[in-house]
Structure formats: structure tokens, C-alpha cells
Amino acid sequence: MICGRKARPAAEQPRSPSDGSGGPRRPGRALKKMGLTEDEDIQRMLRGSLLWKIKSRGGPRERLFCLQEDGATVCFEGGFRRARSQQSFSVMHIEGVREGHQSEGLRKYGAAFPEQHCFTLVFKGKRKNLDLAARGEEDARHWVQGLTKLMARLQAMSQPEKLDHWIHGVLQRADRNKDNKMSFREVKSMLRMINIDMDDVYAYKLFKECDHSGNERLEGRELEEFCRRLLRRPELEELFGRYSGEDCVLSAEELRDFLRDQGEDASLRQARAIIRTYELNEKARQQDLMMLDGFMMYLLSAAGDILNQEHTKVHQDMSQPLCHYFISSSHNTYLTHNQIGGTSSTEAYVRALMAGCRCVELDCWEGSDGEPIVYHGHTLTSKILFSDVIESIRDYAFKKLKGKVLVKGKKLPEPWHEPQRVTSLLDPEEEEEEEEEEEEEKLQERSSQQSLQSLQEIKPLQAKDASQVAPELSAVVVYCQAVPFPGLAHALRHPRPCEMSSFSERKARKLIKEAGSALVQYNTRQLSRIYPLGLKMNSSNYNPQEMWNAGCQLVALNFQTPGYEMDLNAGRFLGNGRCGYVLKPPCLRSPPGERPRRLVLHIRVRAPRPPSPTPGWVPPASLLGDTHDVPMPGQVISAQQLPKLKREKGSSIVDPFVRVEIHGVPADCSKQQTHHKLNNGFNPRWEETLSFQLLAPELALVRFVVEDYDSTSCNDFVGQFTLPLASVREGYRHIHLLSKDGASLSPATLFVHVRCKSL
């Protein structure tokens, strides 16, 4: 966004849908498959509408928004100074649609537009909201209803359907003259769009094999055949052939054998149920048989996901003490950028809460008019009203969980009963940490034999501190009373579960280094909160894994800053229904007991070979805590539809490689990677094996990373997915890759085969 932009001249006003740029357009094949070709809302979106973009700077701008024939892309005109550019977004990247003035942007800057004309698109990941206002209520209703229908249809698609939808969208973009026919030149352009650097001779051979009419154009069924050939999955065909035999049909018994080799305790009844669910051919389904297409549908469905589907809902014991859980926590939650001059926003709270965050931070101060405000004190960050923050928390905090709120803050000692004027409700955390360190040094200078009574004479808030805490706020602080850390020795002798201390990342590392075992024991009885150093002006994060290893519960990160640290945080809280609470392993909830058995994780990036028959596979959940030695060979195979990194450069094709990282206790942390595949982001395959030995698998996270190899500079990030090892399902599984900011890269996937064994 540019400050101080002048209003556009009249000649640059957007074109209306009726002036020749919009007009009725024939719905594409994708919309036909979704059953939306005759839908009134979709028809209006295809024709296009003039919508006002409501922005904080530069004022509203009217733009022409049009749904494309693929049913998944919306294009609109963008502006930068005096130039215009075509911009777009995918419907698949929309998290939700809010009607009316239901965003901070519209509440602040959209007052001139009637609420019935306004709506907000909330995107997945870190992309900003898009606040829009239509010319009339009817137009707004068409877009809200139409987008909601498209989101539902796209969400319900199977992975093969998503791939088919995606490839046909690419075909439509490559059809430059829009005659629904594809010349070889257009086919070559399309191949570059989907990350394939195919030899011209082979590409033309494939083209001619599909050109049954012989007119050097592909159309209709010829295009269908061409798409099917592009979407072939040789590695899945090989796997299917291995179990189906020469007749190329899986019986229920053969499918059961495959499922058991996957590590599942499958019965013949379960195999038949899978056939009835995923087989596309009616005759085969009636005879309890599965064809290749049905097999692929199954492997690429949620049933074939690497994430244990039981872990997508709350499945852990939620009745244990609060200190027995890792809790998803945010630092400076109100910030959208850096902590020195960044913007504060209630939307930052909404995004954190919707991402499963269960501990948010409010730095509260008294505003100039006496109204409490939230911002990063003594900095240039913008200010937001405390009341707006509380309303956002009220509206979004309990989409997941119990509807209870615990307030962590300073507690006034008993003598303070009368309300008094306050200058701030809470000190900034960094100042609190400095005060705690000063008090800790004073305590350490005294004799280690100091009595509890003399310690309590130091701990109560001084008059300076008490004058900055509102009694009304102090009254609601019960279970999470913020106190200076008295030292591990005293805290272990005199535990007080209703009190908690905050530690900077530097102080936490020092404690881990000097007294790691004692800190683990402390965290079995009390809560501890870790936060980033205040000196990090760019709001960067620290590695949360080392804090989790010590049993720290509230490991607070800057949610607005993407990176591997936030990937680990998302992976840690991916399980247990993404509720934001994850039960700590037994070794971190009670005194040290028997060391768990070592685990060996085999990951092979290669074309699959026949596995040796191994009866009685044990699910990973049992394996991780069990004493049985179970031999488990493993394989990982391929990637599909990796995105282009440099879209503006037509000839740019990724050279992908896969890196597998283990994040856990120091002895387990390691990473290995495959070689890169030259010029193939569409369907690369590898022939390598990656193996890891783990001492504490119950604490480990597995991070799959795909990068674009660059021999002259740093490799470029393509996508990643992180999950707890305890949630990994063995066997042939697919992984949906995520972007750097956590948004889905669908249909980009990895196809893996993982095996584990305990020693």
C-alpha cells in the first residue's frame, strides 16, 4: 500500500460488466461437474460485479471482480500508482465469508457503505482480509452465497477430483484464443504452467497420440484423454498391480492384505466397506471388487492421509491438571507485523484463536480519554481499544473448546481493597522480566536457608507496582497469578500451583542448561510461560522444541511471523482435534520413570518394491509406548503438482528435493534430504532411503520440506508439512503441503511410505 496516493483520473475508472469486458460467459467444464452451471449466484459472479475495495490507506477503490470458468479463481483489476494489473485469488484459499461490518477494516473505514452491501473475505494463512462493498444489497448477496457454495463444493472434492479440476483450470488458461481447442504451442505453454519441462519430441508424440482427428488440435474427448495421461500415477499403478495380480482387480481379500501391510488391523468386513465407499464402478462395487481408480480414490482420501484421523478430534484425557498440557500460546497477539512500529489489530486475535491458540496476550494501558487501550507500550505500534479486543475474543475464542477464561496477571496483596486510579493495567512483559531478574538476584544474594516467611516479605508488590494494577483486574486473577520466579530450589520445596512465572527465551535456555531435570520437575506442578526476547525488533521467533523438551507449557510465539518455528508450533498442536491443548508425555507429567524404547524410523524416497510379508502390524500409537519389537521396513515415493515459485517467468521450472527433519530432544534432532530432480515439479520421483533412530519418539515432530534446488544461491522454499511422530500413520500415505504462511498448496502433495520399528 502506498501513502499519499492521488485520486485516479476519470479515464481510469473501472469498466462495468456490461461494457464488453464482462457479459455472459459460458460456464466451464469444472462448474458443470460441480452442478452449478444454472445457479443464479454463479451466473452473476461469472458476468462480474463492480465492488469497492475498502482499504485503510488511499480510500475505497472500485474494481471489477469476475469468477473464472474454472469455478475456483476470482480475478480483479489491481492498481499500483497509474498502472493496472490483473490480480486473482483462489476460492480454495478462503477461510470464510463474513457479512456486514464484521471486520476491523469495515468497522473503521466502511461506515460510508450500508452494512447490507458489505462483506469480508477471510483468507487462510497470513494473507490479509479483503473488505468489499457492492453497489447494491442484491449484488452483495449473490457474491456471499456464491462463494459459500463454491467453497463447500471445492472442500467436498476428493483429491483426484481436485487434481482433475486443477488441470482443467490450467488448460483453460493455456487456451489463449478461447476456442476450446489446444494447439501444440498452447500445450507446451500449459506444460510450463504446471511445472513440466518435457522434451519436445516426447510432448509432440503424446500430443499426436491424443489427436485422433489429425487436425493438429485437441478438443473434447481428445483433451480428456490428454488430461488423463498427464494425471497418471505410475507409482500407484505399480502398487495396485502388486496386490491385484494379473487380472488388475482387487478382491476384498487382497485389499484386506494390503490394509494389514499398511499397519491396520483390518478385517474382511472393513475391506468391503472401503470398496463400497470408494469404488467408482457400480458393477465392481456390487461384486466387492476394486479397480485402479477406486484404489487411487482411497489412497488420496482422508483415509490415506499421513495424519492419524483419530487425532483430528479431541481424543486425549482432558481432565488432568493444567500443567500437564502443552498449550498453544501467542506473544504480543495484537501485532500484525514487528513490535516496534507495526500495526495492532483485533484481526490478529481472530486469526490466532481460529488457528487453535488458547493463550493470547493483551498489553493494556489507559488511553488519553480514560478508555483502556491495547498496544506494545513505549513503542510506535498502533493502538486498539481494549473493548474491541474483548469483543473479538468473545466472538471467536470458543469456536473450539470449553467456554472458560483464565486471566494471567499480577495479583494485589490483601491490603488493597479500595479502587484507585491506575496508569496502566499491566506492565509490558519485558519490563516485568527485568524486575523479576532484579528480585531474583536479590534473593540469590541472601542465604539459601532463608525462610518462606522472609521470602514472602519480598514477594508482595511494591507500592510502585500496585499503583499500576487495577483492583478490578486483580480480583479476576485466581489460578494464574504472575509472580517473580523464586528460583528452582525454593519452588520445588514450596510449590504453589496457582502461581506462574514468565521467562524470556534466554533465561529459559539458561535454566535448561544449568538445571534441566529440575525444570522438568518444576513443570510437573506449575505453569511456566516462555516468550521471545524483547530486543527482536522484527518479531522473530525462537525454537519452541527445546522449551517443550523441558515440559514448559505456555511456549509463546509471534503468530504473525511465519517460519519453521511456527511450522513446529502448528505441528505440535495439529493433533487432539487442534483444540490447542496437547497432553504432555508421561515422562514430563511425573517423576522420571523407565526410559522408553528406542525407535527406528525408515523413510525411503524411491519407487516402491514388494514388501516382505510381515504379519501383525502394530499401530504407531501402540508402538511408541510399547515394549514389543516389531520389524517395520519403510518407503516414501513421490510428489505431485508442486507450485511454480516464479510465476512471472514462464520458463521457470522447479528442481525439487525433499528434506525430512526430526525435531525432538537434542539427541534425536537430525535432517536428511534427497537429491534434486531436474526440471520436474509435476510428478518427481526419487530412489533414496532416509532413516532415523530416535531415543524419545513421544516428543518428536517430523517435518517434511520441499525446496527448489539452486546451485548458486540459497534454495527456495516450496512447501512443508509438520506433525507429531505419534500422529504418523504407517504405510503408503499422502501429505498435503502447506505454504510458508500455513495456507494449503492443494493439489500439491507428497506420497510417502513410512515404516517404524522399536528396539
Side-chain angles (χ1 to χ4, degrees), residues 310-550:
E310 288 298 313
H311 294 190
T312 61
K313 51 192 175 187
V314 176
H315 68 281
Q316 294 181 334
D317 179 5
M318 300 298 288
S319 63
Q320 297 201 23
L322 201 59
C323 58
H324 285 186
Y325 298 87
F326 294 128
I327 304 170
S328 181
S329 305
S330 167
H331 175 63
N332 289 353
T333 313
Y334 45 86
L335 291 178
T336 59
H337 295 292
N338 69 74
Q339 59 184 2
I340 302 301
T343 302
S344 302
S345 171
T346 59
E347 291 295 336
Y349 286 92
V350 174
R351 288 182 179 271
L353 291 168
M354 294 302 290
C357 180
R358 295 294 91 189
C359 178
V360 296
E361 183 176 20
L362 289 76
D363 283 341
C364 308
W365 302 78
E366 185 174 348
S368 57
D369 58 355
E371 181 79 9
I373 57 174
V374 174
Y375 85 112
H376 198 205
H378 309 302
T379 69
L380 299 177
T381 58
S382 62
K383 303 174 178 65
I384 53 179
L385 291 177
F386 175 81
S387 59
D388 289 344
V389 174
I390 293 300
E391 288 176 2
S392 295
I393 294 174
R394 175 199 65 195
D395 294 340
Y396 291 93
F398 304 117
K399 300 292 182 181
K400 305 176 180 179
L401 221 60
K402 291 183 176 292
K404 305 289 184 182
V405 173
L406 297 179
V407 178
K408 178 255 183 184
K410 290 183 177 179
K411 183 77 171 175
L412 287 172
E414 290 302 322
W416 270 275
H417 291 296
E418 299 296 325
Q420 52 189 298
R421 180 172 177 80
V422 296
T423 56
S424 72
L425 300 180
L426 281 179
D427 287 339
E429 202 162 32
E430 288 75 20
E431 293 181 4
E432 179 181 296
E433 172 72 13
E434 290 175 3
E435 293 171 5
E436 290 177 8
E437 288 181 352
E438 290 174 2
E439 293 180 14
E440 183 181 357
E441 289 173 1
K442 292 178 184 178
L443 290 175
Q444 290 174 347
E445 289 173 1
R446 295 174 179 261
S447 170
S448 60
Q449 304 299 320
Q450 185 179 36
S451 67
L452 177 61
Q453 180 179 0
S454 62
L455 179 65
Q456 289 176 331
E457 292 174 358
I458 299 174
K459 283 174 61 179
L461 296 175
Q462 305 300 318
K464 172 178 72 72
D465 300 314
S467 67
Q468 295 180 328
V469 179
E472 296 85 353
L473 178 60
S474 173
V476 298
V477 176
V478 180
Y479 298 106
C480 299
Q481 300 176 22
V483 298
F485 183 57
L488 281 172
H490 176 84
L492 291 174
R493 285 198 304 269
H494 307 284
R496 304 193 62 166
C498 64
E499 296 179 351
M500 64 177 293
S501 300
S502 294
F503 309 90
S504 70
E505 56 177 289
R506 178 165 50 196
K507 186 173 181 179
R509 287 196 189 99
K510 183 180 178 183
L511 284 172
I512 292 171
K513 181 179 180 181
E514 295 176 354
S517 297
L519 182 60
V520 170
Q521 189 176 353
Y522 168 82
N523 284 324
T524 64
R525 301 289 297 274
Q526 295 191 218
L527 291 171
S528 59
R529 183 175 188 268
I530 317 299
Y531 62 89
L533 282 173
L535 299 176
K536 293 183 173 181
M537 296 185 181
N538 62 349
S539 295
S540 61
N541 282 309
Y542 55 92
N543 185 345
Q545 183 65 48
E546 55 185 327
M547 312 304 174
W548 291 323
N549 291 342

Side-chain angles (χ1 to χ4, degrees), residues 625-641:
D626 208 24
T627 58
H628 297 293
D629 291 335
V630 183
M632 308 186 82
Q635 304 171 339
V636 173
I637 308 170
S638 64
Q640 290 282 319
Q641 282 79 42

